[in-house]
Structure formats: structure tokens, C-alpha cells
Amino acid sequence: MNYKVLKVHPSDNVIVALKDLKAGEVVTYHHDSYVLVDDVDAKHKFFTENLAAGERVMMYGTLVGETQQPVLAGACVTTENLKHAAAPYIYRPFNFQWTAPDVSSFAGRTFNGYQRSDGRVGTANYWLFIPTVFCENRNMDVIREALHNELGYTVTAKYKAYTRHLVEAYHKGIDISSLEAPVSFEGNPANRLFKNIDGIKFLNHQGGCGGTRQDAAILSKLLAAYADHPNVAGVTLLSLGCQNLQIEDFQKDLYERNPNFDKPLYIFEQQQSLSEENLIAEAIRKTFSGLVEANKTERSPAALSKLNVGVKCGGSDGFSGISANPAVGYCSDLLVALGATVLLAEFPELCGAEQNLIDRTQDEAAARKFISLMSAYSQSAENAGSGFHMNPSPGNIRDGLITDAMKSSGAAKKGGTSPVTAVLDYTEPAVKPGLNLVCTPGNDVEATTGKAASGATLILFTTGLGTPTGNPVCPVIKISTNNALTRRMNDIIDVNAGSIIEGEKTIEEMGEAILEYCIKAASGEISPKAVLLNQDDFIPWKRGVSL
């Protein structure tokens, strides 16, 4: 294997640099040699042939752009010489055949999860606080501080101690520049009062009133989805009383989603309470009683088919589509072959990969639903003067993702190669095993928020640049695309797929290692870094333009 460069697909006319390359250097790949016209940094690409302006550029075997000017073989691909282009897509009858990977080594394996009365199995056991409106956020913060500090879930103790240390040093006239920052994690499960409660989570948000009634309606469905989540043991809901999102709306959405919902649900309305103090004290008292009962639930073995795994990328780089994403894709295929559910979302980051996904969709109605959702989303972005072509961030571009189609073709690799069994709109629950497509933005937090709403009990999150994103109810597992990121941000990375770039592991070997990590995380044997940090990011999507 050539560890300097990689041609991803035989039909590609660009090659990826795995190491920094210099102008004038001769690079050989599969008996073909190229003289580099420019310096090509690792993660970036160079053209393999001379092209005139307006010619098609292929990567991953698909159209990812068109040249903006004549380019020479060996020239670096940049935003100056390449612009976004993606192939059109249609529904067409297609005889898709899938060869499932060998899962014999995982046959009969289980994870230790929390069994729910409806047959679903959680990978964690959380108590959830929900505000129906932003007016209750302050009360949420007060309750969070009280419960987290007293019940052993805080991660801020080390920072409080460090701040006290700084105050003491200041009073003594000591130079604070020499005082080291804290490095260890707090919130040790051994210090918790309730050993079977993995966390107490709070869905602070900025909605519920103002805005449009459609915003409130979507938020209601989202909050209902979180209340019904298999990782949630019980719910405390705080309402002001006069807001657009009424308690009755939430309850209606909750019981429409799950008519047999039977978890504890404690509701408090501030405008009907005696005082703010009474509201907060009663919410804490009632929740404490609920925690006592929820703590009686213990983990027990469940088949791997009970897993529901979301796949996500964020802070992506030029290695995402050739290391971490394909490895997660192979893990996705293993999960599907084992009867589990996989959620692939981020519709703006499927631009250019649509036809492949449509051809893999088993049901014509689902395929046409995907086309409708993608077309409407794209059109809404264009109507706002934007478009999917504006999805790549400055960081993406600096690290080699020059067009949205280039980024998307690599991002779609997370979904593996299996058939698409269902297409879900935002907040729709996944009820069919296999690969599900979920309509969400590409935005990291909006996407993870949406995946959890569709039932993800774990999220595999690949990153090349590094991002701390987590989720309140769904453990998020960070997978690095490269060794340098793992060394630099080891406090947020769980699995390193950089060994693929170095030629130390194959995509298949890494995919199996990721599944092994999933089993341990789902069993509570290991806690992903985002969970240890209480990185509880939650941003509802208002269905406006968000890329």
C-alpha cells in the first residue's frame, strides 16, 4: 500500500494526499506517476489530468464539482479552481443486491441495557427535566445545580476548587500564571447516591413561545420524543402557563407517539404554584421520590438487535471520508446484519449521494419521500439566498473539503452499504430495523438532537478537527479521523481511526473495534468522553434554513 496518497475510486480524477507533498515531487500510485505542480498538504487533493474550465471532477466515483478554470495534472484542488456540482437524482426501479458482512464473531453477543415495558432497551437510565418554554430555564438551572451537586452528578467541582485556589493565591499575592489547571474528571459514579441512575438531564431551550405556532408544534413533538426515549426512566416537566406550547399539546403528542407511555411524568405549572420557592422545592421532592423508584431498575442482557445507533460527522476533514466514516460505515453494516437499527441524517450532507441512497431504498414510497424531503430542503435554502453548496465550513475547506458534494460523498460513507429500510421526517420514530434516513440539518447539535428524537440510543460521531458535541439522553462516541487530533484532544476522543491512514488497521478491523466499543458503552462498562463531561447539547430545529 502507498502511504503517501490514495485514489479512492478507479474513476476518480483527483488523488488524496495522506502526507504533506511538495511541488516538483513525483508521486507514484498503482504504476501511474504524477509530477506535483503545487504543494499539496495532507488531506487535500491534486488533479490527475489536465482539465479545461467547466469539466467534471470525480471523487468516490461520483461528481463532486466542476473546474472553474483550466487546471494541470498535479495541481492542488482549491476553492479557486473547483466549484460545487452534484449529479441530478430520480427514482428508478433498481435491483439492489447487498452482501452482508460476516457477523459470526458477534452472533449471540448481548449488551447489558435497561429493559422498557414496550420492548425497547436503553443504553442508559436518565431522569429528564423538560421546560415547555424558555421562561423556565432559570428554574431548570437552579434545580440542576442542586441535584447535580448533592446527588453526585456534577463535573464542575474541580473548577470550583481551582477558582478557590486562584482566590487564595490572589489574596496572598501569588503569581497565578504558575497555577496549573485541573485535569481529572469529576462526577465519579462511585460518589452517586443512585447507582442505577446514569444522569439527571435538562432540556433547556429558547422556544415554546414567541416565534410561530409551527415552531411550538415542532418543539412539542421533539420534547415528547425525548420523554418517550428508551434511555429515559422518568420526566419532570416545568411550564409557565401562558406560553404557546401548552401542557395539553405536549401530552397529546406524547400519547400519540406512544399510547402505552407508562413512565413517571411529574408536571408543574408556575402560574398555578404558591411561589417560585414552592415550585422548585416540590419539583425536587417529587423527582427525588421518582429517582428512588427508577433506581430499582437494573441492567440486564439484551440482543444487539435492540441497539439503535445514529451516525454523525462534525468538524470534518479531508480524511473523514477515507478513515473514520468508512469504518463507522462498516460498523453500520455489521449492526444491520445483526438486526439493529442505524440512523443516517444530515440531509445537506447527502448532496451528491442521493442517487446511490435512492437506488438502495427498498420501498418506492420511502424513496419518493426521501426525494421530496431533499428537494424541499434544498429549495428552502435557495429561497433564502443560500444552498447546500454553502454547507462546508471554513475549517472543512482548510482541511481539504472543497465542495459540499465532496464533503457529502465522504459523509454518506457512515451509512455503510446496506439497503435503506425507511425514511423519516424530523422527530419521526424509527420503527423498522436496518438503515433509516432521518431528515435533519448538518449542524452538529441540531443533527444529534434529531437523531435522539428518532430513537438513537448511541451516536457514533466522527471528527477530523475535533468537537465536544454531546447529547442529554444519548451517549455520543467520538471517533477521530487522524492520529494528530487524538493526541491533541484526547479529552474528547474515544476511538482513534487514524491507524487506517497510517496503514496499521483496515477499515473492516476498525469497524469491528468500533462495534466492540459500542457494546461496552451500551452496557455501561465504559463512558464516552462527552458523557463524562456532561456535554448535554440540545438545539431544536425550527425547520428553517440550517445547513
Side-chain angles (χ1 to χ4, degrees):
M1 179 177 178
N2 189 321
Y3 297 138
K4 277 191 172 183
V5 297
L6 174 68
K7 189 175 184 179
V8 181
H9 190 276
S11 67
D12 293 352
N13 52 7
V14 295
I15 285 180
V16 185
L18 303 182
K19 309 285 185 182
D20 291 344
L21 306 173
K22 295 297 182 182
E25 188 173 347
V26 178
V27 176
T28 301
Y29 187 79
H30 287 186
H31 310 297
D32 292 321
S33 295
Y34 309 92
V35 180
L36 298 183
V37 175
D38 306 307
D39 291 346
V40 183
D41 292 339
K43 306 181 185 180
H44 285 261
K45 294 87 184 167
F46 63 85
F47 296 100
T48 62
E49 58 185 335
N50 298 336
L51 296 172
E55 291 206 58
R56 292 159 58 93
V57 175
M58 308 292 290
M59 188 176 175
Y60 302 102
T62 191
L63 177 66
V64 297
E66 291 182 353
T67 53
Q68 298 194 72
Q69 61 194 40
V71 297
L72 298 174
C76 184
V77 178
T78 68
T79 54
E80 286 72 35
N81 58 34
L82 185 68
K83 65 179 179 180
H84 168 81
Y89 53 91
I90 58 170
Y91 174 77
R92 60 188 182 188
F94 196 86
N95 184 27
F96 177 72
Q97 301 293 322
W98 183 55
T99 301
D102 179 10
V103 292
S104 56
S105 62
F106 293 96
R109 295 280 299 276
T110 60
F111 71 97
N112 284 323
Y114 293 97
Q115 309 277 348
R116 303 304 180 192
S117 62
D118 58 8
R120 293 180 296 168
V121 181
T123 62
N125 201 34
Y126 296 125
W127 192 277
L128 188 62
F129 275 80
I130 294 176
T132 59
V133 64
F134 57 81
C135 305
E136 292 301 314
N137 284 347
R138 180 265 179 190
N139 292 337
M140 289 279 166
D141 292 340
V142 171
I143 295 171
R144 178 196 288 113
E145 183 176 359
L147 292 180
H148 278 194
N149 285 338
E150 296 303 318
L151 301 184
Y153 297 100
T154 184
V155 297
T156 62
K158 60 181 176 180
Y159 298 113
K160 290 179 179 179
Y162 182 61
T163 303
R164 285 196 300 272
H165 194 26
L166 292 173
V167 171
E168 292 169 1
Y170 171 76
H171 285 309
K172 294 176 181 178
I174 298 173
D175 180 9
I176 64 171
S177 63
S178 63
L179 300 180
E180 294 185 0
V183 293
S184 62
F185 284 118
E186 297 291 340
N188 188 325
N191 299 328
R192 294 175 183 170
L193 176 63
F194 299 116
K195 306 306 180 186
N196 295 319
I197 302 296
D198 296 301
I200 303 172
K201 303 298 183 176
F202 296 78
L203 298 188
N204 290 31
H205 58 78
Q206 300 303 315
C209 203
T212 67
R213 293 303 174 95
Q214 181 194 35
D215 291 341
I218 294 171
L219 177 62
S220 178
K221 292 182 183 299
L222 178 66
L223 298 178
Y226 272 65
D228 187 47
H229 196 281
N231 287 357
V232 172
V235 180
T236 302
L237 183 143
L238 266 61
S239 168
L240 179 60
C242 58
Q243 70 279 344
N244 286 347
L245 174 47
Q246 290 287 293
I247 292 171
E248 293 77 12
D249 299 325
F250 168 82
Q251 291 175 312
K252 176 176 178 289
D253 287 328
L254 178 59
Y255 289 102
E256 281 185 357
R257 185 182 184 92
N258 185 355
N260 298 315
F261 180 85
D262 59 358
K263 299 174 187 176
L265 174 60
Y266 306 139
I267 296 175
F268 299 89
E269 188 165 271
Q270 186 166 4
Q271 290 173 346
Q272 299 299 318
S273 65
L274 298 177
S275 66
E276 183 181 277
E277 286 185 0
N278 178 262
L279 173 81
I280 292 174
E282 279 299 296
I284 291 175
R285 184 188 65 79
K286 191 68 174 177
T287 298
F288 193 92
S289 297
L291 289 168
V292 170
E293 291 302 310
N295 189 54
K296 296 176 182 178
T297 303
E298 298 184 351
R299 291 181 181 270
S300 60
L304 297 185
S305 60
K306 293 293 186 177
L307 289 173
N308 185 329
V309 179
V311 293
K312 171 79 180 84
C313 54
S316 300
D317 69 351
F319 285 165
S320 293
I322 60 177
S323 63
N325 288 354
V328 166
Y330 188 74
C331 178
S332 298
D333 285 347
L334 292 171
L335 286 163
V336 170
L338 289 163
T341 304
V342 175
L343 307 181
L344 175 64
E346 305 173 89
F347 275 24
E349 296 183 16
L350 298 179
C351 179
E354 297 99 337
Q355 192 63 61
N356 174 268
L357 293 169
I358 293 166
D359 290 343
R360 288 162 52 189
T361 303
Q362 294 177 319
D363 178 69
E364 179 179 346
R368 294 194 181 280
K369 181 178 180 180
F370 174 64
I371 291 171
S372 176
L373 288 169
M374 281 292 290
S375 300
Y377 199 157
S378 177
Q379 188 61 56
S380 68
E382 292 176 15
N383 291 344
S386 186
F388 286 175
H389 67 283
M390 298 182 73
N391 173 267
S393 70
N396 296 150
I397 294 168
R398 279 196 302 269
D399 270 46
L401 298 177
I402 302 301
T403 71
D404 186 51
M406 183 183 291
K407 179 182 180 181
S408 296
S409 296
K413 296 292 182 183
K414 304 188 302 294
T417 61
S418 71
V420 175
T421 58
V423 176
L424 310 176
D425 202 352
Y426 185 64
T427 75
E428 274 193 271
V431 295
K432 290 185 178 180
L435 179 61
N436 286 235
L437 305 182
V438 185
C439 185
T440 74
N443 173 287
D444 291 351
V445 179
E446 287 176 327
T448 52
T449 298
K451 285 188 209 309
S454 287
T457 53
L458 291 175
I459 292 175
L460 296 174
F461 192 121
T462 69
T463 183
L465 304 177
T467 173
T469 304
N471 182 265
V473 303
C474 181
V476 177
I477 299 165
K478 293 292 170 43
I479 302 162
S480 172
T481 72
N482 62 89
N483 291 345
L485 172 63
T486 304
R487 289 191 295 267
R488 188 172 66 253
M489 300 183 73
N490 188 55
D491 57 331
I492 68 166
I493 298 299
D494 301 297
V495 180
N496 178 26
S499 54
I500 295 173
I501 300 297
E502 302 301 325
E504 298 165 357
K505 282 191 177 181
T506 66
I507 287 170
E508 292 76 14
E509 288 171 339
M510 183 54 64
E512 291 182 352
I514 292 170
L515 180 51
E516 290 287 359
Y517 189 98
C518 285
I519 295 170
K520 291 180 180 178
S523 301
E525 295 173 17
I526 189 169
S527 294
K529 303 290 179 60
V531 173
L532 290 171
L533 292 167
N534 272 0
Q535 188 75 39
D536 296 337
D537 301 312
F538 178 78
I539 300 180
W541 181 30
K542 293 184 178 181
R543 295 307 292 259
V545 178
S546 179
L547 300 179

